[in-house]
Amino acid sequence: MSAVIEASGLQKSYAGQRVVDGLNLSIRKGECFGLLGPNGAGKTTTLRMLLGLTEPDAGDARLLGLPVPQAAREARIRVGVVPQMDNLDPDFSVAENLLVYGRYFGLRDSEVEARIPALLEFASLTNKRDAKVPTLSGGMKRRLTLARALVNDPDVIFLDEPTTGLDPQARHLIWQRLRELTSQGKTLLLTTHFMDEAERLCHRLAVMDNGRLISQGTPRELIDRNIEPQVVEVFGERAAAWAAAHAAQYSQRFEVSGETVFCYVQEAQPLVAHLQAQADLRYLHRPANLEDVFLKLTGREMRE
Amino acid sequence: MSNRIYALPRLSLRFYPIWQRHWLVWKKVAAASIMGHLADPVIYMLGLGYGLGSFLPEMGGMSYMAFLAAGTVCYSTMNSASFEALYSGFARMHEQRTWEAILNTPISLEDVVLSEILWAATKSLMSGVAVLAVIWVLGLSHALMSLWMIPLALLIGLTFASVGLIMTALAPAYDFFMYYFTLVITPMMMLCGVFFPVAKLPDTLQIVAGILPLTHAVDLARPLMSGEVPPQFALHIGVLLGYTFLGFYVSLVLFRRRLAK
């Protein structure tokens, strides 16, 4: 299977600090690939190097088979980008934003105009065609940004935190659209720190921290490889004291975070039975998810 | 890395869709913009021309109003390009992230910077033509040669846009531009022969004026307005072009550094 995005040994430092440190990546055609990591992990810098916008200090990157940044211009003709922060043209209407952006790809006005109805339809913005950008809601702006990234009918779409700051309804609509794009055979590379987003959308994921990829695979593989299958969360004022006395006895591994104890177990039944007898403790038993993996791999302490 | 930061720009026609974008934005605010181009310089020209002009029978061999007319075209085109390159350019680069959006397409930074220069020069051209129209209507210049003022307005625009973009590339915020306007633009208005001949300045200031680009613009404009071929025109054009190329290159290098992150 041919790789659409490839990186080997990518490195980048700013002011002596290594932001991306020997990154290897291979993303196949038609895949939705998620790059996870806490703030400052190097996700955006990685995207910028893969797009040919930032030159790596070392290593090689290829985008759609072309070396970047050397042939970035040619490669970007077939790439769409949804940036982390909105950069729509506030002076223009929805349709004008699409028209003007299409021209940057060397498209003729007639070509772009022919595509605008379908793009608006895709973004659920058909009745907002002539609305000015400042009058749009956050979700509409994101959808317009997504439609704008599709104006050149790209093969690959880069999305940097596409749903940050959106309410659940707006987020679900974006997810639905991204799934449509993968089903059309487009390749998606997205960064996020929403684990549910990653788990739902991505075929494969990589967890990144301190500029390195620390684990890679399908969401299921990441969970199976890194963590016990069951989690029991124990909370209440007495939780910490309970953990000190009993947690080790009933779980393979446990973590105390504030008033919650996270117990990771192969088999939850003995622990649950024990907890049912403790009247002043509440608990939640659930399967392990990506967020557990993420917190295990990148730690619980605050970043930045 | 450093090689690419200092590389000479490779020019192409890809600046054009960006120029078209700026034009489309401008058309939406055209009325206010034309007002702005016209009102300020014309009020100064007429106020000083009639007011001071009544005490000054002539200056530099012509009526004070005619003297002022040439200077007014020069400084108003300088101001148009400077405001566009600094304030509007900074808004597009920093606040609205328009550049970021454009740079995600097959367009590169040199195309973006070139489009900023050409757009600011377009604004200069519009402002120059607007002021010239008033001058012609008022009969302050009858010379056919004064048509050369139109390409000169464009050249002045290119010069001050390129130089001004250096400030845009360095600016942490809008406040920073106050230094440039107070320490560079205003002194040029006073020292470069807009309101009175440079020859009336003390020797040291004359030397300073000789280095400043606006002096060379005025030295081209005033003879053109009275229908004469400007003495040493090649030198003056050369100085303006020199500032243009240097400003373009230096600002491009600074933008590459600034946006490398």
Side-chain angles (χ1 to χ4, degrees):
Chain A
M1 202 60 189
S2 62
V4 172
I5 302 171
E6 266 184 299
S8 64
L10 276 191
Q11 253 179 48
K12 185 72 193 175
S13 300
Y14 288 123
Q17 200 182 347
R18 200 158 277 183
V19 184
V20 174
D21 190 2
L23 182 125
N24 299 308
L25 205 59
S26 174
I27 300 171
R28 296 184 287 265
K29 184 175 163 14
E31 204 168 30
C32 177
F33 191 96
L35 209 49
L36 306 181
N39 286 333
K43 303 187 297 290
T44 300
T45 305
T46 301
L47 290 195
R48 287 184 57 87
M49 285 196 283
L50 295 174
L51 279 167
L53 294 171
T54 293
E55 191 166 3
D57 298 335
D60 292 303
R62 294 180 88 80
L63 177 56
L64 287 157
L66 294 163
V68 289
Q70 298 81 2
R73 189 198 300 286
E74 291 80 352
R76 285 205 298 264
I77 291 175
R78 294 158 57 202
V79 172
V81 179
V82 176
Q84 197 175 110
M85 305 223 214
D86 276 321
N87 54 23
L88 296 162
D89 253 316
D91 300 294
F92 292 154
S93 70
V94 167
E96 283 169 337
N97 262 284
L98 298 174
L99 175 69
V100 167
Y101 210 70
R103 288 174 181 163
Y104 300 146
F105 290 89
L107 298 172
R108 283 192 306 274
D109 285 6
S110 57
E111 289 176 88
V112 185
E113 270 155 12
R115 281 181 201 173
I116 285 178
L119 291 170
L120 292 177
E121 174 77 39
F122 181 81
S124 307
L125 288 170
T126 303
N127 58 359
K128 291 283 176 186
R129 186 191 167 95
D130 298 316
K132 282 265 184 107
V133 166
T135 67
L136 302 179
S137 71
M140 291 175 186
K141 282 184 191 163
R142 283 270 96 181
R143 267 146 41 214
L144 177 55
T145 304
L146 179 59
R148 192 184 65 173
L150 302 175
V151 77
N152 56 326
D153 191 21
D155 298 325
V156 180
I157 303 152
F158 283 67
L159 305 109
D160 197 0
E161 297 186 16
T163 63
T164 298
L166 297 186
D167 63 26
Q169 288 83 351
R171 198 183 315 163
H172 277 270
L173 185 49
I174 296 273
W175 287 346
Q176 200 184 322
R177 292 302 183 254
L178 296 184
R179 273 194 293 264
E180 282 177 46
L181 291 173
T182 41
S183 69
Q184 288 167 23
K186 305 221 185 268
T187 308
L188 268 56
L189 171 55
L190 67 91
T191 73
T192 183
H193 35 228
F194 296 120
M195 297 305 131
D196 53 342
E197 179 163 299
E199 204 159 352
R200 278 155 200 258
L201 288 178
C202 299
H203 303 119
R204 278 199 308 143
L205 299 167
V207 179
M208 191 169 183
D209 199 16
N210 299 316
R212 292 169 173 276
L213 290 192
I214 47 183
S215 196
Q216 215 182 136
T218 67
R220 199 66 252 166
E221 282 168 2
L222 282 183
I223 294 168
D224 292 346
R225 189 185 314 147
N226 288 293
I227 206 155
E228 297 77 10
Q230 306 288 320
V231 181
V232 179
E233 293 181 25
V234 184
F235 31 84
E237 274 175 39
R238 215 170 58 79
W242 172 84
H246 302 287
Q249 185 188 336
Y250 289 103
S251 52
Q252 275 72 47
R253 201 166 58 80
F254 71 97
E255 284 170 6
V256 182
S257 177
E259 288 195 344
T260 306
V261 183
F262 293 84
C263 299
Y264 300 94
V265 294
Q266 291 293 344
E267 177 55 59
Q269 207 41 52
L271 174 56
V272 170
H274 164 78
L275 286 167
Q276 276 167 345
Q278 315 286 315
D280 52 349
L281 286 174
R282 286 176 295 144
Y283 70 92
L284 171 71
H285 172 209
R286 59 172 175 80
N289 61 31
L290 262 188
E291 188 142 330
D292 299 313
V293 175
F294 186 81
L295 290 170
K296 183 187 175 193
L297 293 177
T298 63
R300 283 187 185 271
E301 72 277 18
M302 289 297 292
R303 299 306 174 98
E304 293 185 320
Chain B
M1 186 72 202
S2 55
N3 290 343
R4 285 174 76 89
I5 283 211
Y6 295 109
L8 287 173
R10 287 161 303 161
L11 301 184
S12 78
L13 289 177
R14 281 181 295 265
F15 73 84
Y16 181 62
I18 317 175
W19 186 94
Q20 273 184 303
R21 176 216 168 264
H22 302 335
W23 174 250
L24 186 58
V25 176
W26 182 82
K27 279 201 294 187
K28 292 176 189 282
V29 294
S33 174
I34 291 171
M35 250 311 262
H37 287 322
L38 264 179
D40 195 64
V42 168
I43 289 166
Y44 267 86
M45 183 174 75
L46 297 182
L48 290 175
Y50 286 122
L52 269 183
S54 63
F55 296 98
L56 300 164
E58 63 155 57
M59 191 172 281
M62 59 190 87
S63 78
Y64 187 55
M65 184 76 94
F67 183 89
L68 212 50
T72 302
V73 177
C74 293
Y75 94 74
S76 69
T77 48
M78 167 179 80
N79 278 346
S80 298
S82 303
F83 272 98
E84 188 65 29
L86 275 73
Y87 287 95
S88 308
F90 190 74
R92 290 187 283 262
M93 172 186 69
H94 185 75
E95 202 168 282
Q96 300 181 5
R97 300 173 166 269
T98 311
W99 288 21
E100 182 190 77
I102 297 171
L103 291 171
N104 281 332
T105 71
I107 289 178
S108 62
L109 187 59
E110 43 242 78
D111 306 318
V112 173
V113 175
L114 180 63
S115 77
E116 287 291 338
I117 294 171
L118 293 175
W119 172 247
T122 308
K123 293 282 293 272
S124 285
L125 182 64
M126 293 193 274
S127 122
V129 169
V131 176
L132 276 168
V134 173
I135 290 169
W136 285 322
V137 168
L138 291 177
L140 297 172
S141 171
H142 304 287
L144 197 58
M145 195 82 86
S146 68
L147 284 173
W148 279 103
M149 289 297 288
I150 296 171
L152 178 60
L154 189 65
L155 176 58
I156 296 171
L158 292 173
T159 304
F160 287 99
S162 308
V163 174
L165 280 177
I166 296 174
M167 293 294 119
T168 311
L170 293 172
Y174 288 108
D175 305 323
F176 181 76
F177 298 141
M178 200 45 103
Y179 294 110
Y180 182 68
F181 280 97
T182 314
L183 300 175
V184 180
I185 296 292
T186 309
M188 269 200 274
M189 268 175 70
M190 290 303 150
L191 295 178
C192 296
V194 172
F195 299 108
F196 47 82
V198 174
K200 300 291 176 198
L201 291 170
D203 289 348
T204 339
L205 284 180
Q206 282 195 40
I207 293 167
V208 174
I211 302 166
L212 297 172
L214 188 64
T215 309
H216 297 274
V218 172
D219 283 347
L220 287 165
R222 202 154 276 138
L224 288 174
M225 294 293 273
S226 19
E228 293 156 26
V229 176
Q232 293 186 295
F233 65 87
L235 168 75
H236 300 312
I237 293 172
V239 170
L240 293 178
L241 285 176
Y243 272 103
T244 304
F245 293 133
L246 198 67
F248 181 24
Y249 179 70
V250 172
S251 62
L252 179 61
V253 169
L254 292 171
F255 281 126
R256 280 176 182 153
R257 285 185 180 207
R258 180 178 184 133
L259 303 178
K261 283 191 76 145

